[in-house]
């Protein structure tokens, strides 16, 4: 299959969807949840996504003949992964805060 270079994906759309969004995105979501469960901050999310984006670029390179050292597509993968990981982080943190500090969100009881 020919490469369909675009602004967002270097390989075909389906390969980008499978590798970056589904595989790496699933790992990013679970990483965001794990960071929130350990009560770490959001800077940890970014640090781990930098590493995961590098691994994602390697998968594109090794399996689909993508460019390994492409700054543009690395940043695209990084942004997608940070968004997904932040979603997992925020959802888990909101659940934690509502469970831990229930008295702040409870009604006045009148």
């Amino acid at each position: 299959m020919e490469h369909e270079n675009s602004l967002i994906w270097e390989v075909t759309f389906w390969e980008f969807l499978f590798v970056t969004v589904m595989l790496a995105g699933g790992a990013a979501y679970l990483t965001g949840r794990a960071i929130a469960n350990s009560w770490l901050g959001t800077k940890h999310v970014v640090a781990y996504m930098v590493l995961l984006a590098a691994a994602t670029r390697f998968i594109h390179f090794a399996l689909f003949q993508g460019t390994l050292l492409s700054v543009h597509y690395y940043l695209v993968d990084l942004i997608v992964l940070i968004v997904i990981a932040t979603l997992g982080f925020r959802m888990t943190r909101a659940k934690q805060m509502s469970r831990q500090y229930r008295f702040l969100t409870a009604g006045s009881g009148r």
Side-chain angles (χ1 to χ4, degrees), residues 32-43:
R33 282 183 49 196
I35 291 169
N37 280 329
S38 60
W39 291 92
L40 296 173
T42 55
K43 63 182 176 183

Side-chain angles (χ1 to χ4, degrees), residues 10 16-17 20 23 26 32-33 35 58 61 64-65 75 101:
E10 175 185 21
F16 173 80
L17 182 70
T20 302
L23 291 180
R33 282 183 49 196
I35 291 169
F58 179 75
F61 168 73
F64 302 111
Q65 291 79 36
L75 291 176
Y101 303 108

Side-chain angles (χ1 to χ4, degrees), residues 1-6 8-22 60:
M1 205 175 216
E2 286 294 317
H3 289 265
E4 300 173 10
N5 286 358
S6 157
I8 298 177
W9 56 82
E10 175 185 21
V11 291
T12 65
F13 169 74
W14 299 108
E15 292 166 353
F16 173 80
L17 182 70
F18 178 69
V19 173
T20 302
V21 177
M22 292 177 68
H60 281 296

Side-chain angles (χ1 to χ4, degrees), residues 29 32-33 35-37 39-40 42 85-102 104-105:
Y29 181 80
R33 282 183 49 196
I35 291 169
N37 280 329
W39 291 92
L40 296 173
T42 55
T86 303
L87 178 68
F89 179 85
R90 298 293 297 169
M91 289 173 60
T92 304
R93 183 56 54 93
K95 192 184 314 179
Q96 285 176 323
M97 297 301 268
S98 67
R99 185 176 46 233
Q100 183 77 21
Y101 303 108
R102 188 170 314 197
L104 292 176
T105 58

Side-chain angles (χ1 to χ4, degrees), residues 72-85:
H72 172 74
Y73 293 116
Y74 173 78
L75 291 176
V76 169
D77 289 344
L78 181 63
I79 290 169
V80 169
L81 295 178
I82 286 175
V83 166
I84 294 171

